[in-house]
């Protein structure tokens, strides 16, 4: 309980002033508001500051910014478009936590804001970008003259979301728009339609709000007061954040904010930041100027078993974010690995390993076989992964029967003789067995002879009349092979296995079809092995692509890749292909 003088827990006051932060802390610790243990630990850190003799508690800056947001800022997106930006208690407490604590700076010779660094982790659709955008706009108007603000993210599109949120709030308010202007470069003070020669809101004020992405060069040297980096979970390292943190270091009262959900990038920038943050919360590290505001679950189990716990990672649940939406997402997550990864990381801030197995053994297992004679004189869809590294290569065709959604696949694998020596003892035994069964074609020397891949397709046509309608191949490693195939009359289409957009949709359909037992891969053990070695890599747009399972970097996924690539060609040409199948 909060008992130390001069706090008044009944009225949430500090020295006669109502504090939203104290109100929030009290209600959280009393269980009236449900939050996770990591936020409780941070609230305990903040509580100590009220009685710290080296800290002065001053509500003026926080009150000014809260009042600015609630009276000047308006929402711009449905269903709240045009309505005042009325802050929830958790948002007011967050703003207060940033601004009310002051520490005396001997170098500067005055009291300055204690908090300079903020990590704000909250599940998606809880208003994090609008909130930070509103704080940035408030700082622009309520802060000192010449305040320069930079919005950043991993890509320009995401950085633009925050910038546009700021600009839209500015445009929604007549009083703010009257004294500012915006163009493609940023937001500036001074309005040509209502010119002022002097004062904070005139052209004399050189403050700006601009945007930048991690991919944009020349970030060093920018002298800014506020830096806000959105979706830091997508960053692989600190190469794009350090220049921004250094750029604010020249200011007396800088403010650097990182806002994000959890992600799926292993050992990325956010992982390191969260490791440090949790060390601070546990008392292992001293970071008195870092506000660590984490809305996290205490376990994955409670997500599935206790609906009341969802608010721990979703403080806006019921007001900003709909409970029915979360229920729907969780239902889908029960039957889809990709959806499970996305929902747990994005909606509940539970870190997901993006290199864990994509499919279970049971989902992959299918002991059905096929008789190639049943597909004599049929059309097919092809897929080829020739492997840049020169080891295992894969080729396959997908066949279908009229009136059926089931896919039947015939495959062949290829490997250079020299590569067999580099395999582990376990894999050597596997490959020796597969070669004896004629599942793998071995090329002499150090490289695959891709003409053998061509010969395999030619043999399908000559021996069985199986004609590939189109064949997908990875554009990075098959230029000369594609020319050879073209000479034989095959229509080959480039598909990049590194492209999220190209691989995501077919990967989902392969997953669904495997679970529905709609893929007969002729009980091929190499296909099974490749599928078991395959993990899903997911980005913030919920797009996915195949990668190797973490810890299985020496294993192969070529068979899974060709299946997904063939599905890409099938999906792009479904109508035409099915009409050929039905003939």
């Amino acid at each position: 309980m909060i008992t130390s003088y001069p706090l008044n827990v009944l009225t949430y006051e500090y020295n006669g002033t109502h504090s939203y932060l104290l109100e929030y802390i009290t209600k959280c610790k009393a269980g009236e508001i449900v939050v996770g243990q990591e936020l409780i630990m941070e609230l305990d850190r903040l509580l100590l500051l009220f009685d710290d003799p080296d800290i002065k508690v001053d509500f003026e800056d926080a009150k000014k910014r809260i009042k600015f947001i609630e009276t000047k800022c308006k929402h711009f997106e449905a269903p709240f478009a045009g309505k005042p930006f009325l802050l929830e208690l958790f948002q007011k407490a967050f703003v207060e936590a940033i601004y009310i604590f002051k520490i005396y700076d001997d170098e500067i010779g005055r009291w300055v804001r204690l908090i300079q660094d903020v990590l704000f982790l909250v599940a998606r659709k809880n208003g994090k970008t609008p909130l930070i955008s509103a704080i940035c706009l408030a700082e622009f108007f309520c802060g000192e003259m010449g305040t320069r603000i930079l919005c950043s993210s991993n890509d320009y599109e995401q950085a633009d979301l925050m910038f546009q949120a700021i600009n839209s709030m500015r445009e929604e308010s007549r009083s703010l728009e009257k004294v500012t202007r915006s163009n493609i470069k940023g937001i500036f003070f001074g309005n040509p339609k209502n010119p002022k020669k002097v004062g904070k809101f005139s052209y004399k004020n050189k403050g700006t709000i601009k945007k930048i992405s991690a991919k944009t060069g020349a970030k060093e040297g920018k002298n800014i007061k506020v830096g806000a980096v959105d979706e830091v979970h997508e960053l692989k390292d600190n190469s794009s954040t350090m220049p921004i943190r250094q750029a604010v270091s020249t200011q007396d009262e800088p403010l650097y904010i990182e806002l994000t959900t959890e992600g799926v990038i292993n050992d990325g920038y956010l992982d390191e930041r969260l490791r440090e943050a949790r060390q601070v919360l546990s008392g292992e590290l001293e970071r008195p100027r870092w506000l660590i505001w984490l809305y996290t679950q205490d376990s994955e189990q409670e997500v599935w078993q206790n609906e009341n716990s969802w608010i721990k990672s979703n403080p806006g649940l019921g007001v900003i974010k709909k409970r029915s939406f979360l229920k729907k997402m969780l239902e889908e997550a029960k039957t889809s690995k990709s959806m499970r990864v996305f929902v747990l990381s994005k909606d509940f801030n539970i870190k997901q390993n993006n290199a864990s197995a994509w499919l279970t053994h049971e989902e992959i297992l299918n002991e059905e076989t096929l008789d190639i004679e049943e597909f004599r004189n049929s059309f097919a869809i092809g897929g080829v992964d020739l492997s840049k590294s020169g080891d295992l290569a894969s080729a396959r065709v997908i066949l279908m029967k009229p009136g059926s959604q089931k896919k039947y696949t015939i495959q062949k694998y290829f490997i250079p003789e020299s590569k067999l020596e580099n395999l582990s003892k376990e894999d050597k035994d596997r490959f020796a067995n597969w070669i004896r069964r004629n599942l793998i074609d071995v090329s002499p020397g150090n490289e695959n002879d891709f003409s053998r891949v061509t010969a395999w397709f030619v043999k399908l046509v000559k021996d069985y009349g199986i004609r590939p309608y189109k064949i997908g191949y990875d554009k990075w490693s098959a230029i000369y092979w594609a020319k050879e195939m073209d000479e034989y009359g095959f229509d080959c289409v480039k598909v990049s296995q590194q492209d999220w957009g190209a691989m995501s949709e077919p990967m989902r359909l392969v997953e669904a079809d495997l679970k529905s037992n709609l893929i007969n891969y002729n009980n091929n053990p190499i296909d099974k092995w490749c599928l078991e070695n395959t993990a899903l890599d997911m980005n913030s747009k919920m797009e996915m692509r195949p990668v190797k399972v973490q810890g299985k970097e020496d294993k192969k996924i070529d068979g899974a890749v060709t299946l997904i690539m063939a599905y890409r060609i099938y999906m792009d040409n479904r109508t035409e292909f099915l009409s050929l199948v039905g003939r």
Side-chain angles (χ1 to χ4, degrees):
M1 291 295 294
I2 304 172
T3 57
S4 61
Y5 179 86
L7 308 182
N8 185 328
V9 299
L10 297 178
T11 57
Y12 315 115
E13 289 186 355
Y14 179 87
N15 287 340
T17 301
H18 178 274
S19 169
Y20 296 113
L21 179 57
L22 285 179
E23 180 181 354
Y24 190 62
I25 292 174
T26 306
K27 290 182 176 180
C28 289
K29 292 178 76 67
E32 187 177 338
I33 295 175
V34 179
V35 295
Q37 284 303 306
E38 290 185 324
L39 185 57
I40 287 290
M41 294 167 74
E42 176 66 353
L43 297 180
D44 284 340
R45 285 180 72 222
L46 294 172
L47 194 56
L48 294 175
L49 296 177
F50 284 95
D51 289 326
D52 190 327
D54 294 326
I55 299 296
K56 181 172 73 172
V57 180
D58 183 351
F59 292 91
E60 183 180 351
D61 288 343
K63 281 185 174 181
K64 184 184 295 185
R65 284 153 181 79
I66 290 173
K67 182 179 179 181
F68 175 89
I69 293 171
E70 294 200 316
T71 59
K72 297 295 183 181
C73 297
K74 291 184 180 181
H75 292 285
F76 57 93
E77 292 180 323
F80 306 109
K83 297 179 181 178
F85 198 134
L86 300 180
L87 298 171
E88 295 296 308
L89 177 59
F90 80 90
Q91 296 171 320
K92 291 179 180 179
F94 176 69
V95 174
E96 268 198 10
I98 296 174
Y99 285 100
I100 66 173
F101 301 113
K102 312 290 183 179
I103 190 169
Y104 192 81
D105 191 309
D106 292 325
E107 185 178 5
I108 300 172
R110 64 181 177 87
W111 292 89
V112 298
R113 180 176 10 89
L114 171 69
I115 299 299
Q116 296 185 353
D117 197 347
V118 177
L119 175 59
F120 183 36
L121 178 77
V122 65
R124 65 175 178 148
K125 303 301 181 183
N126 279 276
K128 72 178 184 302
T129 300
L131 175 61
I132 301 303
S133 300
I135 291 174
C136 288
L137 191 59
E139 191 63 31
F140 191 54
F141 278 88
C142 301
E144 60 189 337
M145 283 188 66
T147 293
R148 300 178 67 185
I149 298 172
L150 194 62
C151 305
S152 178
S153 190
N154 185 54
D155 59 55
Y156 198 76
E157 181 181 351
Q158 187 65 42
D160 189 55
L161 287 179
M162 187 187 301
F163 178 83
Q164 291 301 333
I166 295 172
N167 193 43
S168 296
M169 290 181 197
R170 180 193 69 87
E171 291 177 337
E172 285 287 333
S173 172
R174 292 184 63 186
S175 59
L176 302 185
E177 190 179 31
K178 280 175 64 177
V179 295
T180 54
R181 68 191 189 279
S182 69
N183 56 36
I184 195 171
K185 294 182 178 180
I187 299 171
F188 309 87
F189 278 108
N191 191 322
K193 296 180 181 179
N194 299 278
K196 289 179 179 287
K197 293 184 178 180
V198 294
K200 184 176 180 179
F201 304 134
S202 70
Y203 280 80
K204 183 180 179 181
N205 187 346
K206 302 303 180 184
T208 60
I209 303 177
K210 294 186 177 181
K211 56 191 170 185
I212 198 170
S213 80
K215 299 177 177 65
T216 307
K219 289 183 282 289
E220 293 83 353
K222 293 184 179 293
N223 184 14
I224 58 176
K225 183 178 180 182
V226 180
V229 186
D230 200 359
E231 301 296 11
V232 296
H233 67 86
E234 293 185 349
L235 303 177
K236 294 182 178 179
D237 53 42
N238 67 355
S239 59
S240 60
T241 60
M242 281 308 296
I244 297 174
R245 297 182 72 179
Q246 292 166 356
V248 302
S249 64
T250 61
Q251 300 291 320
D252 291 346
E253 296 185 86
L255 182 58
Y256 173 72
I257 304 174
E258 293 175 334
L259 58 152
T260 188
T261 60
E262 254 295 4
V264 293
I265 292 178
N266 296 323
D267 298 320
Y269 175 74
L270 180 59
D271 288 339
E272 181 59 30
R273 288 291 273 174
L274 286 174
R275 273 193 290 269
E276 289 186 5
R278 284 160 180 151
Q279 286 178 307
V280 173
L281 294 178
S282 64
E284 299 173 34
L285 275 180
E286 191 73 18
R287 296 285 191 275
R289 312 201 78 159
W290 191 8
L291 179 66
I292 302 166
W293 202 271
L294 310 179
Y295 284 106
T296 54
Q297 300 291 143
D298 293 322
S299 71
E300 180 180 332
Q301 185 179 22
E302 67 181 0
V303 170
W304 304 103
Q305 297 180 354
N306 182 10
E307 184 178 324
N308 293 329
S309 75
W310 296 352
I311 200 168
K312 291 181 181 180
S313 50
N314 294 273
L317 193 62
V319 178
I320 304 172
K321 186 172 184 175
K322 292 187 179 298
R323 189 176 294 270
S324 59
F325 170 81
L326 266 187
K327 288 181 179 179
K328 178 176 178 291
M329 291 294 100
L330 277 177
E331 282 303 311
E332 292 185 31
K334 291 177 181 178
T335 58
S336 168
K337 174 65 182 292
S338 58
M339 182 62 76
R340 181 188 178 95
V341 168
F342 188 81
V343 169
L344 289 179
S345 61
K346 295 300 181 184
D347 288 309
F348 295 99
N349 282 332
I350 298 174
K351 177 62 187 284
Q352 299 296 293
N353 187 342
N354 69 336
S356 60
W358 169 35
L359 300 161
T360 66
H361 175 74
E362 290 73 21
E363 290 167 342
I364 295 169
L365 186 62
N366 186 338
E367 297 182 350
E368 288 182 288
T369 58
L370 61 84
D371 182 359
I372 194 171
E373 289 293 342
E374 292 183 14
F375 297 96
R376 184 171 289 278
N377 300 319
S378 297
F379 284 94
I381 292 289
V384 174
D385 180 14
L386 296 183
S387 178
K388 285 191 293 184
S389 59
D391 46 20
L392 190 66
S394 171
R396 78 175 59 244
V397 291
I398 290 177
L399 299 141
M400 296 181 70
K401 295 179 179 180
S404 172
Q405 290 298 309
K406 194 159 193 171
K407 286 86 176 173
Y408 301 80
T409 176
I410 302 169
Q411 56 285 96
K412 189 77 170 183
Y413 288 87
F414 305 83
I415 195 169
E417 186 177 26
S418 65
K419 298 296 181 180
L420 296 172
E421 295 301 317
N422 299 325
L423 298 173
S424 66
K425 175 65 170 63
E426 180 186 13
D427 287 345
K428 278 184 180 179
D429 293 341
R430 280 197 186 107
F431 275 69
N433 177 44
W434 295 337
I435 291 169
R436 282 195 299 270
R437 294 171 58 183
N438 198 32
L439 301 177
I440 301 178
D441 182 286
V442 180
S443 296
N446 297 317
E447 296 180 334
N448 266 315
D449 181 356
F450 292 156
S451 65
R452 290 171 177 252
V453 178
T454 305
W456 181 75
F457 281 103
V458 171
K459 183 177 174 64
L460 284 177
V461 177
K462 287 185 175 180
D463 291 357
Y464 301 100
I466 295 175
R467 178 77 187 183
Y469 173 57
K470 291 181 186 294
I471 301 171
Y473 71 99
D474 185 21
K475 61 183 179 181
W476 298 113
S477 59
I479 297 175
Y480 297 109
W481 173 81
K483 289 181 178 178
E484 181 183 47
M485 290 288 283
D486 182 62
E487 291 174 359
Y488 278 93
F490 293 110
D491 185 0
C492 295
V493 181
K494 295 178 181 178
V495 180
S496 174
Q497 59 180 281
Q498 299 301 316
D499 188 346
W500 301 97
M503 302 300 278
S504 183
E505 196 177 1
M507 194 170 178
R508 291 184 198 282
L509 185 55
V510 169
E511 177 182 343
D513 278 358
L514 281 170
K515 289 179 178 179
S516 301
N517 203 30
L518 289 176
I519 298 179
N520 179 339
Y521 51 82
N522 202 24
N523 198 23
N524 187 293
I526 312 179
D527 275 10
K528 289 181 185 177
W529 185 64
C530 288
L531 286 167
E532 287 174 348
N533 296 334
T534 304
L536 64 88
D537 188 14
M538 185 175 291
N539 65 12
S540 61
K541 299 176 182 177
M542 206 181 164
E543 295 174 329
M544 46 197 288
R545 62 184 179 184
V547 294
K548 293 180 180 179
V549 170
Q550 193 171 30
K552 292 187 176 182
E553 285 76 13
D554 61 329
K555 305 302 181 184
K556 311 301 178 187
I557 65 171
D558 305 74
V561 170
T562 55
L563 183 58
I564 296 167
M565 290 171 67
Y567 260 64
R568 174 78 273 167
I569 301 301
Y570 163 74
M571 294 176 75
D572 289 345
N573 301 274
R574 184 188 281 112
T575 302
E576 297 89 339
F577 177 63
L578 291 180
S579 69
L580 294 173
V581 170
R583 285 182 181 178

